[in-house]
Amino acid sequence: EPEVTQTPSHQVTQMGQEVILRCVPISNHLYFYWYRQILGQKVEFLVSFYNNEISEKSEIFDDQFSVERPDGSNFTLKIRSTKLEDSAMYFCASSEAVRQPNTEAFFGQGTRLTVV
Amino acid sequence: GESVGLHLPTLSVQEGDNSIINCAYSNSASDYFIWYKQESGKGPQFIIDIRSNMDKRQGQRVTVLLNKTVKHLSLQIAATQPGDSAVYFCAEQYYGGATNKLIFGTGTLLAVQP
């Protein structure tokens, strides 16, 4: 069964450092997302991406965050200067379409980011 | 200061019993709803969905009920098994929006006692 894959599974970084979280969405999907989950809290939307541009972003997704699809398979989330409060589980998701049947989003296993 | 995570509501059931997990959603314009299961250290896993033109949908051992009047969703799991132990999230989506952005609820921890 096709799945969304994320690397690394766990990333520890010093405050102020840049991190890049990587995702390989399902191959025929066109819409890509990043969500985050602070420990013990609910999953929060960060950003959606379609046709090589951001289609929607939340207030969490400030200038320190950026996303990129550098090639035909990878989808990355970059945090330029990490803060302690960026520590969370980051989930990548992809979906085949929007506003149509079968718009289910498939989630990856997540990357646990720990900022120290 | 140090932030404290939300204390998840917990539902504890005996193996073989039926479970009912409830969720209140926030946006009356939402027209698509999904239940996700999240096991420890894993990503959300799709269980079942329902569109706003329905009030009930059944899957294998699971049923979702939607009450739009009071903005309430429930997930019923029949004959609950130890493998059902996880956190369950409801999520809502505005189907007419530009993207498939999901708004997740707080989550309920289902603990199945053998």
Side-chain angles (χ1 to χ4, degrees):
Chain A
E1 185 175 325
E3 59 179 12
V4 176
T5 57
Q6 290 185 242
T7 54
S9 56
H10 191 190
Q11 173 88 47
V12 181
T13 189
Q14 295 226 327
M15 191 169 53
Q17 294 297 303
E18 175 183 287
V19 293
I20 297 176
L21 310 183
R22 302 181 190 279
C23 169
V24 179
I26 294 173
S27 62
N28 65 330
H29 285 186
L30 301 176
Y31 296 83
F32 314 114
Y33 312 86
W34 284 100
Y35 289 81
R36 80 170 186 191
Q37 185 179 32
I38 294 171
L39 184 64
Q41 299 190 19
K42 58 184 175 182
V43 179
E44 300 174 289
F45 170 78
L46 290 178
V47 65
S48 60
F49 190 86
Y50 169 70
N51 198 26
N52 284 318
E53 61 182 25
I54 291 173
S55 45
E56 189 172 2
K57 61 183 180 180
S58 73
E59 58 193 26
I60 302 168
F61 194 89
D62 62 21
D63 292 344
Q64 293 299 310
F65 291 86
S66 62
V67 290
E68 192 178 27
R69 187 150 164 85
D71 53 42
S73 60
N74 290 284
F75 179 51
T76 62
L77 174 69
K78 182 194 290 186
I79 308 175
R80 288 190 186 80
S81 178
T82 49
K83 304 185 288 289
L84 294 176
E85 53 265 39
D86 293 328
S87 295
M89 197 77 161
Y90 287 81
F91 293 107
C92 174
S94 69
S95 65
E96 192 172 348
V98 295
R99 290 179 289 166
Q100 296 178 31
N102 301 319
T103 54
E104 173 192 344
F106 291 83
F107 284 78
Q109 295 293 302
T111 293
R112 178 166 298 285
L113 176 65
T114 303
V115 182
V116 297
Chain B
E2 183 179 339
S3 64
V4 179
L6 293 171
H7 178 68
L8 282 177
T10 300
L11 176 65
S12 185
V13 300
Q14 291 293 125
E15 182 179 356
D17 287 352
N18 296 333
S19 303
I20 300 176
I21 301 171
N22 296 303
C23 172
Y25 64 90
S26 58
N27 186 356
S28 57
S30 293
D31 47 18
Y32 179 57
F33 306 90
I34 309 170
W35 280 100
Y36 282 95
K37 173 186 181 182
Q38 187 179 27
E39 296 173 289
S40 182
K42 296 186 177 180
Q45 178 186 4
F46 174 91
I47 301 173
I48 191 167
D49 59 0
I50 188 168
R51 301 207 179 279
S52 59
N53 60 352
M54 303 171 70
D55 53 22
K56 180 179 180 179
R57 188 158 188 237
Q58 288 186 286
Q60 189 177 20
R61 276 203 311 121
V62 294
T63 301
V64 55
L65 300 176
L66 173 63
N67 184 332
K68 295 183 289 294
T69 303
V70 295
K71 295 192 289 185
H72 184 268
L73 271 173
S74 67
L75 176 69
Q76 301 177 0
I77 304 174
T80 313
Q81 302 167 0
D84 295 327
S85 294
V87 177
Y88 289 80
F89 292 95
C90 67
E92 61 185 293
Q93 181 187 97
Y94 173 49
Y95 195 52
T99 72
N100 274 14
K101 178 180 75 174
L102 292 166
I103 305 298
F104 282 81
T106 306
T108 296
L109 174 62
L110 177 64
V112 182
Q113 311 300 323

